[in-house]
Amino acid sequence: MSPGLAGYRNEFLKLALGSEGMTNDLFAIASRYAQADIPDSINLALRMCKLTAIQKANGKVRGLNAGDTLRRLVCQILPQ
């Protein structure tokens, strides 16, 4: 996945899997985020995205957004 505004990628989060303490911290952060138990200022930052304009074949322009990596990770894991 492409990086969000914070600039980090999934590869950066994979580094946390090498350490039990870091994995536990990442789990705690993701759990609080999934339960919406985070400060409003952090929530606002995680909701921001990078918007890229893509020109379609018919000449119209479509917006493509890349949200925060942590938000995307939590949103993909929740349904599972």
Side-chain angles (χ1 to χ4, degrees):
M1 288 185 193
S2 64
L5 289 177
Y8 56 86
R9 300 173 173 268
N10 287 344
E11 290 82 13
F12 300 159
L13 296 176
K14 285 181 186 178
L15 294 174
L17 300 178
S19 162
E20 184 176 346
M22 289 175 63
T23 301
N24 291 338
D25 290 343
L26 180 60
F27 174 77
I29 292 167
S31 294
R32 286 190 62 184
Y33 187 58
Q35 296 170 20
D37 183 23
I38 57 175
D40 288 337
S41 58
I42 294 174
N43 188 29
L44 289 173
L46 292 175
R47 290 183 357 208
M48 295 170 59
C49 66
K50 263 197 300 195
L51 189 61
T52 304
I54 305 292
Q55 188 164 11
K56 296 168 52 174
N58 63 5
K60 293 185 178 183
V61 177
R62 174 179 179 258
L64 180 68
N65 67 344
D68 182 77
T69 304
L70 179 62
R71 181 192 60 79
R72 291 185 285 170
L73 175 69
V74 170
C75 290
Q76 288 176 358
I77 291 174
L78 279 177
Q80 297 175 14

